[in-house]
Amino acid sequence: MRIVRSILRRMVRMLASKKVISARQAAVWLHYERLGRFPNVDNPRDLNEKILWLEFNSDTSLWPMLADKLRARDFVAGKGLGEIVVPLLASYESASDIDFSKLPDSFVIKSNNGNAQAVIVHDKSKADLVKIIKQAARWLDSKFGLAGAEPHYLAIPPRIIVEKLLPPDSDGEMPIDYKFMCFNGKPVYCLVCSRRDPISFHTLFSLYSLPDWSKLPDAIVSSQQESVELPAPPHLNEMIRYATILAKDFPFVRIDFFDTGGKVWFGEITLTPAAGRIDYLSRSYLELMGDLIHLPKSMLDLNE
């Protein structure tokens, strides 16, 4: 079965890349490949289905800017939250333009329009800089969003960006990633990504209700769940306030933060988590979260 699914995934992505099938058609088939069921995009109910509905039926004109890790910084600053934006060290249109001599000893280099396209450099003198340049060139050429059926990423001008390396957590590990899941402008849950591998970026998940920070053990599938109950981050109330400001006017959006080095840092804005193919949430929570998203009834009526 795994081989059949792998063949199906490659075939759908190839057809989408060649534009033989539409992004919407590709999204439906990729959803089936990942989750074993076809989504009801015309009359959506669960979280994944409503993410896909919003992607293909609502006004997404702001999505490329919000999903752009470079331009999203301006959006956050424009909301009066410039102090939580991670300092930008450089940005490049071409990998050959990267000038490591002008960068500090430690930094994070990443694409502005991809997923898990990043390299953490702790000591520039020990890093394989030639390899990093080759990786960056591949990121710029990857056309992220085409094969995965997320068309708003294709409207992002590709760039390589370099940011300040945030301090590790108290155990010396990568900072925990706090992802605030916001429904109709209100942060309702925090998806916590812990034990993230610095190379593969693989992580474990746990879900907490807000604002009480109560762990919801039935929300995450067992194979991807963090078994340890994590304490509330020191600046939880601040992050809730920031997420509320940034999520205003969106039926659904995920706002990511880090709480490290004694303060909150903005991570990114995501409108299509896992491309609308979330497999780490249990079925019951996918439906529960879907019920929280209020779609414009006038638009739903047009699809009937």
Side-chain angles (χ1 to χ4, degrees), residues 21 28 43 56 59 81 125 127 184 189 223 255 257 259 271 288:
I21 60 176
V28 168
N43 188 23
F56 296 110
D59 179 6
L81 302 177
S125 67
N184 309 299
Y189 300 105
S223 61
I255 312 290
F257 301 102
D259 191 345
L271 293 137
L288 180 63

Side-chain angles (χ1 to χ4, degrees), residues 152-163:
H152 58 287
Y153 281 98
L154 296 172
I156 300 174
R159 298 287 186 273
I160 299 299
I161 60 176
V162 185
E163 294 179 343

Side-chain angles (χ1 to χ4, degrees), residues 55-213:
E55 184 173 19
F56 296 110
N57 295 283
S58 68
D59 179 6
T60 61
S61 56
L62 288 178
W63 286 27
M65 183 264 290
L66 296 169
D68 185 336
K69 295 180 180 67
L70 184 59
R71 290 185 292 167
R73 305 163 61 87
D74 295 332
F75 174 79
V76 175
K79 295 292 185 178
L81 302 177
E83 75 278 3
I84 67 171
V85 174
V86 179
L88 179 70
L89 303 177
S91 66
Y92 308 98
E93 295 185 20
S94 170
S96 61
D97 293 335
I98 300 173
D99 188 349
F100 290 105
S101 68
K102 295 182 179 180
L103 297 177
D105 292 335
S106 62
F107 52 85
V108 176
I109 185 167
K110 63 177 75 172
S111 68
N112 69 323
N113 65 338
N115 176 50
Q117 294 180 341
V119 176
I120 299 171
V121 176
H122 294 280
D123 185 343
K124 183 173 62 175
S125 67
K126 297 179 181 178
D128 188 337
L129 304 182
V130 173
K131 181 180 178 181
I132 291 175
I133 290 175
K134 290 180 179 179
Q135 282 182 288
R138 288 195 295 270
W139 296 339
L140 289 172
D141 291 338
S142 65
K143 296 188 184 302
F144 184 85
L146 182 59
E150 293 177 284
H152 58 287
Y153 281 98
L154 296 172
I156 300 174
R159 298 287 186 273
I160 299 299
I161 60 176
V162 185
E163 294 179 343
K164 174 184 175 180
L165 178 62
L166 296 180
D169 65 18
S170 58
D171 296 325
E173 302 292 334
M174 287 185 66
I176 291 176
D177 198 350
Y178 298 99
K179 300 177 180 293
F180 286 74
M181 305 184 74
C182 305
F183 301 85
N184 309 299
K186 178 183 178 182
V188 178
Y189 300 105
C190 182
L191 179 71
V192 181
C193 299
S194 53
R195 307 195 205 190
R196 189 183 292 278
D197 185 279
I199 305 299
S200 67
F201 293 96
H202 177 268
T203 189
L204 294 178
F205 301 100
S206 48
L207 192 74
Y208 293 82
S209 60
L210 298 174
D212 61 324
W213 196 258

Side-chain angles (χ1 to χ4, degrees), residues 226-297:
E226 168 64 80
S227 58
V228 177
E229 185 165 344
L230 301 170
H235 300 92
L236 175 61
N237 290 335
E238 285 184 38
M239 288 191 286
I240 291 175
R241 181 167 63 85
Y242 298 152
T244 302
I245 292 171
L246 296 174
K248 188 177 183 295
D249 299 326
F250 293 102
F252 170 76
V253 67
R254 199 192 73 205
I255 312 290
D256 301 356
F257 301 102
F258 300 100
D259 191 345
T260 187
K263 67 167 293 183
V264 174
W265 297 99
F266 167 73
E268 62 181 74
I269 296 173
T270 303
L271 293 137
T272 54
R277 300 186 286 275
I278 297 171
D279 62 358
Y280 47 80
L281 288 173
S282 66
R283 183 75 202 148
S284 61
Y285 269 84
L286 284 172
E287 294 180 355
L288 180 63
M289 292 184 186
D291 289 342
L292 294 176
I293 300 176
H294 302 152
L295 299 177
K297 188 176 186 306

Side-chain angles (χ1 to χ4, degrees), residues 5-6 8-9 28-37:
R5 292 176 63 179
S6 177
L8 174 61
R9 180 172 63 253
V28 168
W29 278 101
L30 290 171
H31 185 284
Y32 173 78
E33 179 275 324
R34 173 73 64 83
L35 300 173
R37 61 190 296 273

Side-chain angles (χ1 to χ4, degrees), residues 31-51:
H31 185 284
Y32 173 78
E33 179 275 324
R34 173 73 64 83
L35 300 173
R37 61 190 296 273
F38 286 106
N40 188 339
V41 183
D42 292 326
N43 188 23
R45 180 184 174 191
D46 72 20
L47 176 60
N48 283 322
E49 291 172 341
K50 289 194 175 180
I51 288 172

